[in-house]
Amino acid sequence: MKAKHATKKRVFDIIQIGTRVDIPSRAFDFFIVCVILTSISVTFLQTFDSLQHYSRILNGIELGTIIIFIIEYLLRLWTSDMLYPKERGLRAVRRFIFSFYGIVDLLTILSYFGPLYSNGIVALRMIRVIRIMRLFRVNQSFDAFNIVAEVVAEKKKQLLSSISMIAMIMLAASLCMYGFEHDVQPDVFENAFSGIWWAMSTVLTVGYGDIYPITVGGKIVAIIIALLGVCVVAIPTGVISAGFVEYYARLRNETTNLLNGDTLSLLKKQARKNGMSSDEYVRYLLHRKS
């Protein structure tokens, strides 16, 4: 029984996020990254008519990647009770299946077994887009992505407020542009919602030029909206930048307060030995302890 538990624990450590000191785990992460990128590449290549002569090769590669995904998915189901230690048996399995990564992994596999998409059903063809979502698991393997996710979670209220401001400006711009331009461009600004596309490209400072005002009032509104767009879109950038500064300052203070001078010096030495930063090494130790 203990041998079985030890085997499951080792498999769990390998298929979870790897660390630089655990070579098999890092090798598995690198292998899965390559498989994911290969699967996405094949999905793109299969859309080229000029490559239809290689369809058998591409289909074979796709089948190989799906088999690997199935094996990985089954291993994650088997070790789900270690991912959710408070759950046991089928509860842990069910929790993984309905988690974000569990749903993405399952849909990635099911996308291969949807041959109906070749009959032109767009909804079923679009399931293959889910494979790109597996890149989130690739990013999860990197410490920097976890920090970004944590910062965004901490600043979600501020980010939602700034997004709400952008949405309000877009709606106001669309209504204003409709009022000025509808009479002279009825085909372009057919209704208030027709200006949403123009407002989006202007507020986000892209400006494709396919829709643009020709009246004096419309041009004045466009200038104002463009200036407001530059200011408003810069708000989320400032919020996230401030979040990064606060995160690293807090982490540095916590590390300094918990460790004395000798221990901190030893920690830095061990971190350098393992090719990590001090902050990353602390998180690695905490992960091992949990």
Side-chain angles (χ1 to χ4, degrees):
M1 198 70 177
K2 290 183 178 180
K4 182 180 178 180
H5 180 79
T7 301
K8 181 185 286 191
K9 179 67 168 63
R10 184 58 185 145
V11 171
F12 174 76
D13 291 338
I14 291 175
I15 65 177
Q16 288 303 112
I17 301 173
T19 59
R20 296 180 185 178
V21 296
D22 191 343
I23 302 301
S25 184
R26 292 294 290 181
F28 177 83
D29 289 342
F30 179 77
F31 173 71
I32 288 297
V33 167
C34 292
V35 173
I36 293 173
L37 295 178
T38 300
S39 175
I40 294 173
S41 299
V42 169
T43 302
F44 274 88
L45 291 175
Q46 287 175 332
T47 64
F48 288 83
D49 294 334
S50 59
L51 297 177
Q52 292 304 310
H53 296 88
Y54 304 97
S55 59
R56 288 188 177 181
I57 297 176
L58 294 176
N59 291 337
I61 296 174
E62 184 181 28
L63 177 60
T65 59
I66 291 298
I67 291 174
I68 294 173
F69 290 152
I70 292 174
I71 295 173
E72 181 201 10
Y73 185 74
L74 293 176
L75 289 175
R76 293 188 184 279
L77 289 178
W78 183 48
T79 60
S80 58
D81 57 337
M82 293 191 171
L83 182 62
Y84 305 106
K86 294 183 179 180
E87 307 288 347
R88 285 290 179 267
L90 293 177
R91 288 187 176 181
V93 172
R94 185 170 60 249
R95 184 169 177 183
F96 172 75
I97 290 175
F98 291 102
S99 67
F100 173 76
Y101 290 113
I103 293 173
V104 169
D105 290 350
L106 182 59
L107 290 178
T108 299
I109 297 170
L110 293 179
S111 67
Y112 178 79
F113 299 99
L116 291 176
Y117 59 66
S118 61
N119 295 334
I121 300 178
V122 177
L124 292 175
R125 282 205 303 267
M126 290 299 293
I127 294 179
R128 305 180 77 184
V129 178
I130 295 295
R131 298 185 188 183
I132 300 177
M133 300 288 288
R134 283 189 67 98
L135 287 174
F136 282 110
R137 190 179 290 283
V138 176
N139 289 329
Q140 189 190 27
S141 301
F142 297 97
D143 190 62
F145 179 79
N146 296 325
I147 294 174
V148 172
E150 188 170 340
V151 169
V152 171
E154 289 181 355
K155 299 294 182 180
K156 60 183 179 181
K157 291 183 179 180
Q158 294 89 330
L159 290 174
L160 287 174
S161 298
S162 61
I163 292 173
S164 299
M165 291 176 61
I166 294 174
M168 287 187 290
I169 290 176
M170 285 174 50
L171 292 175
S174 178
L175 287 170
C176 291
M177 201 56 62
Y178 171 78
F180 282 110
E181 299 292 326
H182 174 68
D183 293 337
V184 294
Q185 298 188 82
D187 295 333
V188 177
F189 292 93
E190 185 177 356
N191 49 54
F193 287 99
S194 300
I196 290 289
W197 169 249
W198 172 86
M200 172 67 77
S201 61
T202 303
V203 169
L204 298 181
T205 67
V206 178
Y208 287 105
D210 53 342
I211 298 177
Y212 54 89
I214 59 176
T215 64
V216 175
K219 290 179 179 179
I220 293 174
V221 171
I223 292 172
I224 295 173
I225 296 302
L227 292 174
L228 288 175
V230 172
C231 298
V232 172
V233 173
I235 294 176
T237 305
V239 170
I240 294 176
S241 299
F244 274 112
V245 173
E246 293 174 5
Y247 177 87
Y248 282 109
R250 183 173 66 252
L251 185 62
R252 191 176 298 109
N253 291 335
E254 291 176 354
T255 304
T256 304
N257 293 335
L258 289 173
L259 304 174
N260 56 38
D262 294 336
T263 307
L264 185 59
S265 177
L266 179 62
L267 178 66
K268 290 181 179 179
K269 186 181 296 185
Q270 290 294 326
R272 286 194 299 269
K273 183 178 179 181
N274 290 292
M276 302 180 183
S277 66
S278 300
D279 297 340
E280 186 179 2
Y281 189 64
V282 169
R283 283 189 290 274
Y284 162 68
L285 294 176
L286 293 174
H287 174 71
R288 285 191 61 186
K289 184 178 180 181
S290 60

